[in-house]
Amino acid sequence: MCWKGTIPLMFRKVITVATSGEGDIINLTPHIRSILHESGVKDGMCHLFVTGSTAAITTIEYEPGVLSDLKRALSVLAPDDISYAHDQAWGDGNGRSHVKAAVVGPSLTVPVIDGDTVCGTWQQIVLLELDIRSSRRRTVICTVTESAAPG
Amino acid sequence: MCWKGTIPLMFRKVITVATSGEGDIINLTPHIRSILHESGVKDGMCHLFVTGSTAAITTIEYEPGVLSDLKRALSVLAPDDISYAHDQAWGDGNGRSHVKAAVVGPSLTVPVIDGDTVCGTWQQIVLLELDIRSSRRRTVICTVTESAAPG
Amino acid sequence: MCWKGTIPLMFRKVITVATSGEGDIINLTPHIRSILHESGVKDGMCHLFVTGSTAAITTIEYEPGVLSDLKRALSVLAPDDISYAHDQAWGDGNGRSHVKAAVVGPSLTVPVIDGDTVCGTWQQIVLLELDIRSSRRRTVICTVTESAAPG
């Protein structure tokens, strides 16, 4: 194989955030803007991935009301007050966290234009802390790749 | 940094579609095929992203029955007849739209082989209009990148 | 256009797996590790896409208890015992499969660092078989792209 010589460049940074317990939702947009600025990338893609199986990434309007509405909706899928096979097997107590995370998903890719993500004004990129611990540190891998329109 | 000289090319187009109100589902596949044809890209990736926090992108069989089944399912998560904190704060009335959009997500990446997406015969790429306005214009960013197998 | 000369390389393989009926969940991580090893790619991205509209891809802890918890949760969205417009129109009986697949989604992108995905220890990449047939063969397209940090 002849990979060398045609490998595009990427700019990769780890975003580390502290979360304050189940249901905490962190606005990642300022972190991502800072990374985009540092990368110097004007046009391309930005990819986010959270490691761990009890957190998720999506977009939403970062407004307290709608964040609590989202939490209520996810509890329809995975209520607090039912029994989980995961908890019976492992005693973790976070079966509901795993279920919500698997449905929302750990990953998001957003286009970059003119040095910023193309998200709408009321559309922020967020990390959902779904685990039941009182606090955690979360690791989000942010990968920025540059591309250019053909000349 | 030495980005220049190794930046891959991309082909980026905006798909603008008119939606006819809450629950409208638009088949994006013909739009995407047209963009792929225009790009000339045979092998690579195609990425879709909808701006705004009250719409979503996924794949489904574009058949009226299953589209109505999907709408019913999303209303289990975010029913029409309950109170939303978002609506109480802002009077928007579209709290349910935000919730559904955050769960399904705004983004999708699909492989391109031989100039077409690899979707199955009964698997179309769709835009879900989840907002409550009677009509909207939606912006979907379509980014096509070409890659080649190593020689 | 001048694509040639700046096209990055990708390594693309099809993962074919046999599924044993509705609710089967396949751990794709060993397949992906094998492809990453074969590709020789150390840093970049790995993308997974399942063709067909009655299967989905996500991450979860591959542990029997939590897998059954996820199945229960998806049945809240699309129960076995209600009527589906899709089934009334087509007699397929798999309306619920389509609905679950559309919500979870067919696609996932994961960063690659040091030749492996960055998933957490308890975070596996899985294929959800949601269709009602007693067995199926599923096709997952795995695309690995290499990128390098700027020098």
Side-chain angles (χ1 to χ4, degrees):
Chain A
M1 293 199 300
C2 56
W3 287 100
K4 300 305 167 193
T6 55
I7 300 173
L9 297 171
M10 67 177 175
F11 190 85
R12 183 169 274 168
K13 286 270 173 172
V14 174
I15 302 170
T16 306
V17 291
T19 59
S20 63
E22 185 176 18
D24 194 15
I25 300 181
I26 305 283
N27 184 0
L28 296 176
T29 302
H31 300 267
I32 293 163
R33 285 210 167 121
S34 170
I35 291 171
L36 286 172
H37 182 75
E38 192 184 350
S39 76
V41 169
K42 296 301 179 199
D43 292 283
M45 305 297 278
C46 179
H47 175 264
L48 289 312
F49 184 87
V50 59
T51 62
S53 51
T54 53
I57 291 182
T58 188
T59 61
I60 197 165
E61 181 178 345
Y62 198 73
E63 179 273 308
V66 82
L67 300 183
S68 72
D69 292 330
L70 175 62
K71 286 177 244 181
R72 183 212 52 77
L74 292 175
S75 74
V76 173
L77 280 180
D80 292 3
D81 59 357
I82 66 169
S83 171
Y84 290 85
H86 179 65
D87 299 341
Q88 291 174 333
W90 297 93
D92 286 3
N94 66 354
R96 63 181 185 256
S97 318
H98 286 277
V99 166
K100 296 171 187 173
V103 172
V104 176
S107 168
L108 181 72
T109 308
V110 185
V112 175
I113 297 181
D114 291 338
D116 199 1
T117 68
V118 297
C119 291
T121 308
W122 314 112
Q123 181 181 30
Q124 281 72 47
I125 300 169
V126 295
L127 170 72
L128 309 184
E129 176 58 77
L130 300 165
D131 214 333
I132 59 170
R133 294 191 214 162
S134 59
S135 69
R136 282 194 72 145
R137 289 177 71 82
R138 287 293 186 183
T139 299
V140 177
I141 315 289
C142 176
T143 309
V144 182
T145 50
E146 188 165 28
S147 303
Chain B
M1 292 200 301
C2 56
W3 289 98
K4 300 306 168 194
T6 55
I7 300 174
L9 297 171
M10 66 176 175
F11 190 85
R12 182 168 275 169
K13 285 269 172 172
V14 174
I15 302 170
T16 306
V17 291
T19 59
S20 63
E22 186 177 17
D24 194 15
I25 300 181
I26 305 284
N27 184 359
L28 295 177
T29 302
H31 299 268
I32 294 163
R33 286 211 166 119
S34 169
I35 291 171
L36 285 172
H37 181 76
E38 192 184 351
S39 76
V41 170
K42 296 301 179 199
D43 292 283
M45 305 298 278
C46 179
H47 175 264
L48 290 313
F49 184 87
V50 59
T51 62
S53 51
T54 54
I57 291 182
T58 188
T59 61
I60 198 166
E61 181 177 346
Y62 198 73
E63 179 275 308
V66 81
L67 300 183
S68 72
D69 292 331
L70 176 61
K71 286 177 243 181
R72 183 212 52 77
L74 292 175
S75 75
V76 173
L77 280 180
D80 292 4
D81 59 359
I82 66 169
S83 171
Y84 290 85
H86 180 64
D87 299 341
Q88 290 174 333
W90 298 93
D92 286 2
N94 66 355
R96 62 181 185 256
S97 318
H98 286 277
V99 167
K100 295 170 188 174
V103 172
V104 177
S107 167
L108 182 72
T109 308
V110 185
V112 174
I113 297 181
D114 292 338
D116 199 1
T117 66
V118 297
C119 291
T121 308
W122 313 113
Q123 182 182 29
Q124 281 72 47
I125 300 168
V126 295
L127 171 72
L128 309 185
E129 176 58 78
L130 300 165
D131 215 333
I132 60 170
R133 295 191 213 162
S134 58
S135 68
R136 282 193 71 145
R137 290 178 72 80
R138 287 294 185 182
T139 299
V140 177
I141 315 289
C142 176
T143 308
V144 182
T145 50
E146 188 166 28
S147 302
Chain C
M1 291 199 302
C2 55
W3 288 99
K4 300 305 169 195
T6 55
I7 300 174
L9 297 170
M10 65 177 175
F11 190 85
R12 182 169 276 169
K13 286 269 173 172
V14 174
I15 302 170
T16 306
V17 290
T19 58
S20 63
E22 186 176 16
D24 193 15
I25 301 181
I26 305 284
N27 184 359
L28 295 176
T29 302
H31 300 268
I32 294 163
R33 286 211 167 119
S34 170
I35 291 171
L36 286 172
H37 182 75
E38 192 184 350
S39 76
V41 169
K42 296 300 179 199
D43 292 284
M45 305 297 278
C46 179
H47 176 263
L48 290 313
F49 184 87
V50 59
T51 61
S53 51
T54 54
I57 291 182
T58 189
T59 61
I60 198 166
E61 181 178 346
Y62 198 73
E63 179 275 307
V66 82
L67 301 183
S68 72
D69 292 330
L70 176 61
K71 286 177 243 182
R72 183 211 53 76
L74 292 175
S75 76
V76 173
L77 281 180
D80 292 4
D81 60 358
I82 67 169
S83 170
Y84 289 86
H86 180 64
D87 299 341
Q88 291 174 334
W90 299 94
D92 286 2
N94 66 355
R96 63 181 184 257
S97 318
H98 286 277
V99 166
K100 295 170 188 173
V103 172
V104 176
S107 168
L108 182 71
T109 308
V110 185
V112 175
I113 298 181
D114 291 338
D116 199 2
T117 66
V118 297
C119 290
T121 308
W122 314 113
Q123 182 182 29
Q124 281 72 47
I125 300 169
V126 295
L127 170 72
L128 309 184
E129 175 59 77
L130 301 165
D131 215 333
I132 60 170
R133 295 190 213 164
S134 59
S135 68
R136 284 194 71 145
R137 287 178 73 81
R138 287 294 185 182
T139 299
V140 176
I141 314 289
C142 176
T143 308
V144 182
T145 49
E146 189 166 26
S147 301

